[in-house]
Amino acid sequence: MKELKISVKNLYLKYGEKTALDDISMDITSKQVTAFIGPSGCGKSTFLRVLNRMNDLIDNCSITGEVLIDGIDIYDKNLDVVNLRKRIGMVFQKSNLFPKTIFENIVFGPRLNGVNDKNTLNEIVEKTCRQAAIWDEVKDRLNEPALSLSGGQQQRLCIARALAVEPDILLMDEPASALDPISTAKIEELIHELKKNYTIVIVTHNMQQAARVSDYTAFFYMGKLIEIDKTTRIFTKPSVKQTEDYITGRFG
Amino acid sequence: MTENILPRHQFEVSPENSHYSKKIVRSARIKETLIKSYFAAAGTAALIFIILIFIFLFKEGINAFNNIGLSDFIYGTRTMEDGTVKTVYEWYPTSENARYSLLPLLLGTLLTAIPATLISTVLGVAAGIYLSEIAHPKAKEFLKPVLELFAAIPTVVLGFIMLVIGATFFQDLLHPANRLNAFVASVGLTLVIIPVIASLTEDALRSIPMDLRNAAYGLGATKWQTISKVILPAAFSGVSASIILGFGRAIGETMIVLMASGNAANFTMEIFRSARTMTATIAAEMGEVSQGSDHYYALFFIGVVLFVITFFLNLIAEMIISKMRKKNTF
Ligand SMILES: Nc1ncnc2c1ncn2[C@@H]1O[C@H](COP(=O)(O)OP(=O)(O)OP(=O)(O)O)[C@@H](O)[C@H]1O
Ligand SMILES: [Mg+2]
């Protein structure tokens, strides 16, 4: 039996008057990949942002319910959000590198934590770039602008940047949706590699991708969690008909 | 322009083409051409006016060279009571032995514009950051129009306020050498420049994509770290352009400095003494000067200098802004 990492209980989220997440409860297992699937607008990104409290930045967003990470309520009033986000890396759908050099992008997080020693930073850059499978492509151009990289390279650099803060959870919102098949394959390989050390949650619109990379799959529909189960089970004999319809493309 | 349009126009109304759908196409095309030529004409007219102003200013400015000479714009000589002749930097265009040194005026301009720009940079950039990053949308909805309203107050009103209230306030507070001085004028200038810098800074910061903020917060940056390490550096060129434009405005501003600076063309670096700027000199003296006199041409020469300075400041700012635009299109 695997260890429990994240536990969500009766979570409701509203944007103004509009309910975006409706009574979500789920458990996410440590050092496994959990995929979120579901039609556009069903609340996958919103739920992902719940897990590192990025919704705090949205003005009219209100949340009730409980989210426990390692048994600690992350919506507790006394919890330090900044520290929470340092423990949870996030990779966005569109790569969002800073207009700085490749090197400065990766060490952004460590620098926030007060790491300024040149050797330590160099080590962090090499280590995370190797983890993100981009070291060979950037090692000779660390001082070039990060935005000069290709889209696929930028996305892997975003992953490296997220890893540099040494999180133990990695949230990925459609990290490969804008990439070609080769870059996508690289990122999927990477996810396989990373799950040895990280708990990974990935949003994807690509059913094959969900089937390939994830251990668990959660299906969302209109702000509700329809079901979550082992990926093999969801893709062979899901317990809810809606899930089956969605996966087989008979949705509507 | 019209010669260009006519031939095609005639071709289009020829009887062979009088089919219904072609009629629509044709009338749309005529409308298009009319709109295009209207804007072309308006644009050309504006350009011609600017060029004419330019030519006029420079023609009169060059006359100044012929009548007065470059060295006289820098220094002059004065015979003292004991008969010795001294080199002086004075603006005394109406004296019998007229002296036309621009240096005191240039100093006056810098002595008011530089402190004003420094103060306005600190406060204006802070206000821009507040508006773009910190203020609640509701507060912003209220503050932004107030700021724009402030920028629209006639400068003569601001000058008057400085003359009556500001000068007395600073006299009691700092006991300056002259009641009206460069410092009072600078403070008056900040009232005009802070809104300029604040609103341009806000524009520059707002143009930074939300994605970058999310990236920073996602990595565990605090609000202040996000602003100082990501947003401000990314908007650096936009913010510097706003400061340069503010500086240009400070140099070109007339009414406030005319009323609050004391208007004595002192050759001095002391900010608490009266000063006289280039703009105020033109405004104050142009009305009384007889056309074609040396004094008249000297005033035009000041105009040329001002034109050149503000032209280059705007050019630099424009270059920086266009660079910023390129950089921010991800
Ligand atoms: N900042 C916001 N303010 C108001 N409503 C929002 C906001 N963000 C998302 N929503 C709404 O919440 C719902 C869920 O959005 P969300 O982005 O989570 O969907 P999603 O499942 O990620 O969709 P997609 O697959 O298209 O990315 C949508 O109806 C959306 O319109
Ligand atoms: Mg989404």
Side-chain angles (χ1 to χ4, degrees):
Chain A
M1 185 60 198
K2 290 274 189 177
E3 223 180 298
L4 186 64
K5 188 72 184 176
I6 305 172
S7 171
V8 180
K9 287 181 195 124
N10 306 108
L11 186 108
Y12 293 82
L13 182 144
K14 278 185 179 177
Y15 291 117
E17 287 302 300
K18 187 171 159 286
T19 301
L21 293 175
D22 191 357
D23 195 11
I24 309 267
S25 298
M26 78 160 69
D27 289 338
I28 292 174
T29 315
S30 183
K31 296 189 180 167
Q32 295 279 288
V33 179
T34 304
F36 291 173
I37 59 171
S40 187
C42 67
K44 306 179 295 292
S45 300
T46 301
F47 186 65
L48 203 64
R49 286 198 301 267
V50 164
L51 302 179
N52 67 343
R53 288 187 57 175
M54 286 294 273
N55 286 319
D56 291 15
L57 304 169
I58 298 169
D59 276 320
N60 60 353
C61 173
S62 59
I63 296 174
T64 58
E66 198 179 46
V67 181
L68 304 176
I69 293 183
D70 293 331
I72 293 163
D73 181 4
I74 63 164
Y75 283 89
D76 189 294
K77 279 189 197 65
N78 299 320
L79 185 115
D80 181 1
V81 188
V82 163
N83 268 335
L84 173 79
R85 297 210 187 106
K86 281 175 183 160
R87 287 182 40 217
I88 304 176
M90 187 158 196
V91 179
F92 299 79
Q93 175 171 4
K94 209 168 128 235
S95 82
N96 53 3
L97 294 170
F98 303 122
K100 300 173 187 277
T101 63
I102 294 172
F103 186 90
E104 283 304 324
N105 263 281
I106 301 172
V107 302
F108 184 85
R111 277 199 203 281
L112 291 182
N113 297 335
V115 181
N116 274 313
D117 175 58
K118 189 78 189 167
N119 287 332
T120 318
L121 292 177
N122 283 334
E123 279 164 26
I124 292 174
V125 169
E126 176 162 356
K127 181 174 155 222
T128 56
C129 282
R130 282 190 193 284
Q131 277 182 304
I134 194 174
W135 177 243
D136 290 331
E137 286 149 271
V138 300
K139 65 170 185 279
D140 298 321
R141 46 192 296 200
L142 290 172
N143 290 316
E144 285 176 32
L147 299 176
S148 69
L149 294 170
S150 79
Q153 290 170 331
Q154 289 193 22
Q155 195 59 298
R156 275 178 286 145
L157 198 63
C158 284
I159 298 176
R161 181 179 65 180
L163 297 178
V165 267
E166 302 188 320
D168 38 35
I169 299 172
L170 202 55
L171 308 176
M172 301 173 138
D173 196 347
E174 301 183 48
S177 67
L179 303 182
D180 70 300
I182 296 173
S183 306
T184 304
K186 277 192 179 155
I187 289 195
E188 289 180 9
E189 235 171 79
L190 182 60
I191 291 171
H192 250 295
E193 205 45 45
L194 292 173
K195 89 176 193 197
K196 290 178 194 148
N197 301 309
Y198 302 86
T199 305
I200 298 175
V201 182
I202 178 173
V203 173
T204 177
H205 274 288
N206 182 331
M207 293 305 122
Q208 287 85 5
Q209 185 170 65
R212 280 194 301 264
V213 300
S214 69
D215 304 293
Y216 293 88
T217 298
F219 173 59
F220 288 81
Y221 183 59
M222 308 241 301
K224 287 195 164 67
L225 174 65
I226 304 300
E227 71 172 304
I228 176 167
D229 210 329
K230 283 213 151 59
T231 298
T232 45
R233 199 179 157 82
I234 291 273
F235 280 90
T236 49
K237 41 180 187 329
S239 40
V240 183
K241 174 121 191 340
Q242 263 174 320
T243 315
E244 189 178 339
D245 287 349
Y246 182 71
I247 285 164
T248 53
R250 266 183 285 124
F251 210 73
Chain B
M1 293 311 295
T2 28
E3 287 88 352
N4 279 340
I5 297 165
L6 272 178
R8 202 205 288 172
H9 192 100
Q10 280 162 350
F11 166 75
E12 279 164 354
V13 288
S14 67
E16 300 90 55
N17 291 343
S18 59
H19 191 272
Y20 181 66
S21 66
K22 278 188 184 158
K23 225 180 201 163
I24 297 178
V25 171
R26 194 189 317 137
S27 79
R29 209 183 290 160
I30 291 172
K31 211 164 132 193
E32 190 101 335
T33 341
L34 281 177
I35 292 173
K36 250 192 228 162
S37 39
Y38 168 72
F39 280 106
T44 321
L47 197 68
I48 288 174
F49 281 133
I50 291 174
I51 292 173
L52 284 179
I53 291 173
F54 194 76
I55 292 174
F56 178 64
L57 202 59
F58 273 80
K59 192 179 123 273
E60 301 291 75
I62 284 170
N63 274 331
F65 268 118
N66 298 337
N67 294 1
I68 300 172
L70 183 61
S71 68
D72 287 336
F73 282 123
I74 299 169
Y75 58 88
T77 54
R78 195 167 86 199
T79 320
M80 309 306 280
E81 274 164 29
D82 57 3
T84 53
V85 177
K86 263 176 82 179
T87 301
V88 288
Y89 303 97
E90 289 175 339
W91 174 261
Y92 259 113
T94 48
S95 133
E96 264 172 47
N97 164 28
R99 296 182 289 281
Y100 293 108
S101 172
L102 293 192
L103 294 186
L105 308 181
L106 197 64
L107 271 183
T109 290
L110 296 180
L111 213 53
T112 50
I114 291 177
T117 309
L118 292 180
I119 300 171
S120 309
T121 297
V122 175
L123 299 178
V125 170
I129 292 174
Y130 177 76
L131 279 176
S132 157
E133 305 298 321
I134 299 167
H136 191 271
K138 288 245 170 60
K140 191 180 155 177
E141 224 168 83
F142 166 75
L143 287 172
K144 188 108 210 247
V146 168
L147 193 73
E148 272 151 17
L149 199 71
F150 215 81
I153 297 176
T155 52
V156 66
V157 175
L158 298 176
F160 186 69
I161 292 172
M162 285 319 288
L163 179 71
V164 176
I165 304 170
T168 310
F169 175 76
F170 286 115
Q171 190 175 30
D172 295 345
L173 190 72
L174 303 166
H175 308 292
N178 303 107
R179 178 171 178 273
L180 294 177
N181 54 49
F183 178 73
V184 174
S186 316
V187 173
L189 284 178
T190 62
L191 300 177
V192 192
I193 304 162
I194 289 172
V196 171
I197 295 183
S199 91
L200 290 175
T201 296
E202 198 246 349
D203 289 346
L205 298 184
R206 201 160 26 97
S207 79
I208 302 301
M210 201 57 208
D211 293 357
L212 284 191
R213 296 178 176 84
N214 286 337
Y217 288 126
L219 289 165
T222 60
K223 180 148 211 156
W224 174 241
Q225 286 170 329
T226 305
I227 293 171
S228 65
K229 296 197 157 82
V230 175
I231 299 173
L232 275 182
F236 178 77
S237 43
V239 175
S240 7
S242 81
I243 295 167
I244 294 173
L245 288 175
F247 185 53
R249 183 74 207 272
I251 286 178
E253 175 51 42
T254 309
M255 240 20 235
I256 294 174
V257 287
L258 185 66
M259 295 171 85
S261 69
N263 262 328
N266 290 324
F267 184 66
T268 177
M269 296 281 275
E270 282 173 55
I271 196 169
F272 290 114
R273 293 184 70 99
S274 290
R276 167 183 274 213
T277 68
M278 299 196 280
T279 49
T281 305
I282 298 178
E285 296 174 11
M286 201 46 126
E288 292 148 21
V289 79
S290 64
Q291 202 169 342
S293 65
D294 282 1
H295 186 189
Y296 172 84
Y297 288 124
L299 292 181
F300 263 98
F301 185 70
I302 297 177
V304 172
V305 173
L306 273 174
F307 184 89
V308 170
I309 294 176
T310 44
F311 179 79
F312 276 104
L313 283 178
N314 278 301
L315 196 71
I316 295 170
E318 203 52 54
M319 273 158 51
I320 292 176
I321 288 175
S322 76
K323 198 181 127 215
M324 163 182 89
R325 250 182 232 129
K326 261 179 237 143
K327 215 171 73 184
N328 280 346
T329 45
F330 289 99

